[in-house]
Amino acid sequence: MYLKSLIKPFIYLSFLTKLIYALQTDCDTLSDLYKEFETESKISWPEHSTECCSVQGITCKNDRIVSINLQRQGFKGKISEKIGLFSELTFLDLRYNEISGTIPDTISSLPKLTSLNFGANFKINGSIPKALCSLDSLSNLYLYQNELSGTIPECLGSLPKLEELCLDSNKLTGHIPSSIGKLSKLKHLDLENNKLSGIIPENFSKLDKLEIINLQGNEDLIGELPEIKNVNDCSYANTSLCVKDGTKTCHNNLRKCEAKDTEKVLEYNKTNSKISVDDDVDDDVEGDDNKNDNDNPKKGKSGSGSTVITIILLLLLLILIGVGGFFLYKRSKKGDDNNEDDNSIKRSQSKKTILPFRNEPSIQRLQSQRTEKSFIVLSPKLEEETPPPKLTLDDTIFNYVDVKNNKGDISLNEDSKMSKSSVGIKTQEQYQNHMQYQDLLHNQSYYLE
């Protein structure tokens, strides 16, 4: 019940957020995009309207933006996270601006996007996001002339409709993914002027529709160039690639392969196989989810389109649940401590030992048929750091009757430590009380309560 009371406000808040998004038009989202680009002065349409559809470079269909062509607009800021709200967008061109920062993952929420061009902004950095791998409709991807680093995602080879892939003039490292050789519709591949190394995958020979390939400027590319049938425009300058004698593929006057080229390839394959094994181990540690995201980008669509507001709401929800859980835990622990105290008292009471204690201040009380007794309650000594005080009793309260008086009178014996032979014991009960008293004097495992 407590958790339900915490979650209920967030359910209402989430519902209100959806209503707000429902009221927000594509023109409102475009306004947010302009604000991130530091060009508020170019916003010429009112809020919650569709008048932005008449702006140059913006194309709408049924009041939804389907095309954004804003090249050479002088944009400087970052790409807004809200770009993922253009769910009907098919064309996005922001080339030749001065956009900086990273490409947001929310771009994966554009399922109808066919062409994406962030080229020649020169300041877009970070890695190529794997979120791009979920754009199944994408046919053209242009990210050239920026500051992108890291490796080329293997999952880019899973885009079924990709025809043009231009990643040239960045700072990309690592090898060319073999998955690129699975892009059956690829016509144009440009990876020049990066820091790529290794060999060209052999399955490039299966790219039957590839017409243009440009790999120049990657000095660490080695080995033999595969036979790629239909290429008519190629560039491999400033690489260490070679071709075998008699090749018919476009090679732009590459040198013939020698024995040292074979040795380099063998050494690279040996090193790369070790790296691949290490990478596989790392992938297993990270979990199957990450692996599936790379190999099957369709799976990433369900959670990659969340907005900043939704993330904040989820964080607040987690914080409140954590605080509520903490107080519940403290409350439960306090109750357990109380129960433990009660149980200890009960256990202590259950272990109490009751011994008879003779309390007879007069001779007449001894001679009466009914002997009145009082009791003292003794408890076992608990195992504590400080032991309880030792037992001390007043010996005078255990005086006994001397029945050997010649006058027949009964008198009190003042010596409390007499043995049985020197003390007149009238009854068996007196003897038992006397023995219990002796035991108490020498037994330190009991204390008065």
Side-chain angles (χ1 to χ4, degrees):
M1 292 296 294
Y2 182 75
L3 290 178
K4 288 182 179 180
S5 63
L6 284 176
I7 295 173
K8 188 177 293 185
F10 286 94
I11 295 175
Y12 295 147
L13 189 57
S14 177
F15 179 72
L16 290 175
T17 303
K18 291 180 179 180
L19 288 179
I20 292 173
Y21 283 149
L23 294 174
Q24 185 170 0
T25 64
D26 281 356
C27 290
D28 294 330
T29 304
L30 186 63
S31 296
D32 294 331
L33 198 67
Y34 271 68
K35 291 175 183 177
E36 289 288 341
F37 289 151
E38 302 175 6
T39 53
E40 291 92 339
S41 59
K42 294 187 177 183
I43 302 174
S44 59
W45 54 92
E47 190 176 4
H48 303 317
S49 71
T50 58
E51 294 183 18
C52 69
C53 294
S54 59
V55 174
Q56 184 177 1
I58 305 300
T59 304
C60 296
K61 184 178 180 180
N62 297 328
D63 296 331
R64 298 298 306 276
I65 296 178
V66 296
S67 176
I68 298 177
N69 187 356
L70 297 174
Q71 56 177 301
R72 303 179 189 275
Q73 296 293 314
F75 295 151
K76 290 185 178 181
K78 299 179 180 180
I79 303 172
S80 172
E81 294 279 346
K82 292 186 178 181
I83 197 169
L85 296 177
F86 295 113
S87 57
E88 296 295 319
L89 193 64
T90 61
F91 184 89
L92 178 58
D93 191 346
L94 299 175
R95 58 182 160 167
Y96 291 104
N97 285 288
E98 298 179 33
I99 300 172
S100 60
T102 60
I103 302 173
D105 288 338
T106 53
I107 202 162
S108 63
S109 299
L110 306 178
K112 297 183 180 181
L113 192 65
T114 60
S115 181
L116 173 62
N117 195 334
F118 290 158
N121 277 280
F122 304 102
K123 296 181 180 180
I124 296 178
N125 52 36
S127 60
I128 299 175
K130 295 178 182 179
L132 294 172
C133 301
S134 64
L135 304 178
D136 289 344
S137 300
L138 198 63
S139 59
N140 302 317
L141 179 58
Y142 305 103
L143 302 177
Y144 57 87
Q145 294 182 18
N146 281 294
E147 295 184 351
L148 294 171
S149 58
T151 60
I152 301 173
E154 190 82 24
C155 61
L156 287 180
S158 300
L159 296 174
K161 298 181 180 180
L162 196 60
E163 297 180 2
E164 297 190 19
L165 178 60
C166 298
L167 307 176
D168 51 292
S169 301
N170 280 287
K171 298 178 180 179
L172 300 173
T173 58
H175 61 277
I176 301 174
S178 60
S179 62
I180 302 297
K182 299 177 183 179
L183 297 173
S184 59
K185 295 186 178 181
L186 190 64
K187 297 179 181 179
H188 182 188
L189 176 63
D190 194 343
L191 302 176
E192 71 169 314
N193 294 330
N194 280 289
K195 299 179 181 180
L196 300 174
S197 59
I199 63 174
I200 299 177
E202 294 181 2
N203 61 357
F204 269 40
S205 59
K206 298 180 181 179
L207 297 175
D208 297 335
K209 295 185 178 181
L210 189 62
E211 299 174 356
I212 302 173
I213 182 170
N214 187 352
L215 301 178
Q216 71 175 5
N218 293 284
E219 298 179 358
D220 293 329
L221 286 178
I222 61 174
E224 180 183 318
L225 183 69
E227 293 283 344
I228 308 174
K229 299 179 181 178
N230 297 320
V231 173
N232 51 42
D233 186 354
C234 61
S235 179
Y236 305 107
N238 297 322
T239 67
S240 299
L241 295 169
C242 61
V243 291
K244 63 181 181 180
D245 192 18
T247 184
K248 295 181 180 180
T249 189
C250 176
H251 57 81
N252 199 16
N253 297 321
L254 276 178
R255 61 182 180 82
K256 301 295 188 294
C257 292
E258 301 175 2
K260 63 179 181 179
D261 295 309
T262 303
E263 293 176 359
K264 287 183 179 180
V265 171
L266 291 175
E267 184 178 355
Y268 168 79
N269 289 336
K270 184 178 180 180
T271 304
N272 190 58
S273 62
K274 292 181 179 179
I275 295 175
S276 298
V277 170
D278 293 339
D279 290 341
D280 290 340
V281 172
D282 292 339
D283 291 339
D284 291 339
V285 172
E286 291 176 1
D288 294 336
D289 292 339
N290 293 339
K291 183 177 179 182
N292 292 335
D293 289 341
N294 292 339
D295 296 339
N296 187 9
K298 295 179 182 179
K299 188 176 180 181
K301 290 183 178 180
S302 59
S304 56
S306 58
T307 62
V308 176
I309 295 178
T310 305
I311 293 174
I312 293 174
L313 292 177
L314 290 175
L315 289 175
L316 289 174
L317 175 61
L318 291 175
I319 291 172
L320 284 179
I321 291 176
V323 172
F326 174 76
F327 282 113
L328 285 176
Y329 169 76
K330 293 291 288 184
R331 185 177 179 182
S332 175
K333 187 175 181 182
K334 184 176 180 181
D336 293 340
D337 291 341
N338 292 335
N339 291 335
E340 185 175 352
D341 292 340
D342 294 340
N343 292 334
S344 64
I345 292 174
K346 291 178 180 179
R347 288 195 299 270
S348 176
Q349 292 177 348
S350 65
K351 293 181 179 180
K352 289 178 181 177
T353 304
I354 301 176
L355 294 175
F357 178 74
R358 176 74 69 177
N359 185 14
E360 297 179 342
S362 65
I363 300 173
Q364 286 77 12
R365 204 172 274 181
L366 271 175
Q367 293 174 338
S368 62
Q369 293 182 355
R370 180 177 179 181
T371 303
E372 296 180 1
K373 298 180 181 179
S374 62
F375 294 88
I376 59 171
V377 181
L378 303 176
S379 299
K381 180 172 65 177
L382 300 178
E383 295 182 1
E384 298 178 350
E385 293 183 0
T386 304
K390 296 182 178 180
L391 178 67
T392 57
L393 292 173
D394 187 359
D395 296 345
T396 60
I397 64 176
F398 281 90
N399 292 331
Y400 296 95
V401 177
D402 186 358
V403 298
K404 295 182 180 182
N405 193 315
N406 293 330
K407 295 180 180 181
D409 297 330
I410 299 175
S411 61
L412 295 176
N413 187 357
E414 297 297 330
D415 187 2
S416 61
K417 297 182 179 179
M418 287 184 175
S419 63
K420 182 180 177 184
S421 61
S422 61
V423 176
I425 303 300
K426 183 177 180 180
T427 64
Q428 181 66 24
E429 184 178 5
Q430 290 179 350
Y431 174 73
Q432 290 177 351
N433 287 343
H434 174 73
M435 295 304 295
Q436 287 177 346
Y437 167 67
Q438 294 294 329
D439 290 340
L440 286 173
L441 289 178
H442 300 287
N443 188 352
Q444 301 302 317
S445 62
Y446 290 86
Y447 66 96
L448 285 175
E449 183 179 67

